[in-house]
Amino acid sequence: MSITPVICGFGHYAPEKIVSNQDLEKLVDTSDEWITTRTGIKQRHIVVPGEQSSSDLALEASKMALADAGLSPKDLTHILFATLTPDTYCPSAACYLEQKLGVRGLMAMDLNAACSGFLYSLQTARAMVALDPDAVVLVAASEVLSSRVNWTDRSTCVLFGDGSGAAVVTADTGAGKAQVLDLILGSDGNLTDLLLIPAGGSRFPLELGGTVDKESYIQLNGPDVFKHAVREMEAITNTLLEKNGLAVEDIDLFVPHQANVRIIDALAKRVGVPPEKVFVNIDRYGNTSAASVPIALSDALQQNAIQPGMRILITTFGAGFTWGSCILQF
Ligand code: COA
């Protein structure tokens, strides 16, 4: 008997501090007009450095998701933590989150698929539930990208924000909010150098007494990433629709990764989704990488943009490159 995984709770959280485009005008040679027209971003949430780590943000999003599911941390069997900005390089952010949730003994691990991290983790959660129908999997996606942004580089620092989203995944016992109807993923490791944080890993190890330079921060070939993002997101969206015998008209709401409103618009146009069926919140959050999709889902639910009975299509794209697409039936 095949098991249908469901999401039974959603949550999100962003730090209190808001950095507007006008604030960034004081930091680098940019303007609200450039940022708004080129990206759609008006503001982003940023942690106060040293006060909040990725697991702190994930704790708040996870509490909301657990409350939404009517569950407590003690009900959890697994924690999957999607991030490219963990609290520490080692141990995993999942272990910090487990400690902050006041539980122990779970299978807890991080998963890095950059901006596609939530869908990669959701796929892993589906596998956990298929292995064990009693599994209760917390998928937390959380980023403190402000810690890896070069605040003197106007071409990247305006794009990103901090935040977290979470979902609780179980087998379908009738209490789920959304069935995961299908989910497919992809990647291309030939294009790693278009979007990366070069230093700090084994490729360019840290040196004792060495200086921190721009290699320690996010580097991005914006126009090339833009082109690949639109192309791959269009391809995987169409593949998923076709695989499930669905037309774009069968989708009630499209929830894409929030990297740039122009990427979203180009993708929607190519796939044939009308603007009123596309959920956008990049204006308020910026690009929160792995957290972008679960923040958007939880935000859309809070705004009643998602209602019971709706079929939702999600598509993501991130460094690697990685990409994915998923259909949720609410
Ligand atoms: N403010 C003002 N001017 C800026 C700027 C800023 N914050 N950032 C870049 N510019 C300038 C550039 O220096 C360039 O000037 P030049 O023509 O004198 O050389 C000009 O704006 C155009 O830059 P370009 O990079 O071609 O702009 P773009 O239209 O491609 O937009 C991005 C840049 C980054 C917004 C866009 O390419 C993008 O969103 N890419 C993908 C985002 C991404 O990678 N997301 C993460 C993965 S999902």
Side-chain angles (χ1 to χ4, degrees), residues 29-31 34-35 38-39 115 154-155 158-160 195 220 222-223 225-226 229 257 259-260 262-263 287 317-319:
D29 180 16
T30 191
S31 65
W34 191 96
I35 302 170
R38 306 309 290 169
T39 73
C115 301
R154 69 176 182 173
S155 67
V158 302
L159 302 175
F160 299 100
L195 173 53
L220 161 76
V225 174
F226 192 110
H257 171 49
N260 184 322
R262 290 189 296 130
I263 294 179
N287 180 353
F317 182 84

Side-chain angles (χ1 to χ4, degrees), residues 15 18-19 31 51 55 86 142 146 180 225 236 258 261 285 311:
I18 289 174
V19 174
S31 65
E51 284 191 10
S55 68
S142 189
S146 59
V180 184
V225 174
I236 198 160
Q258 310 281 315
V261 79
Y285 290 95
R311 194 182 281 138

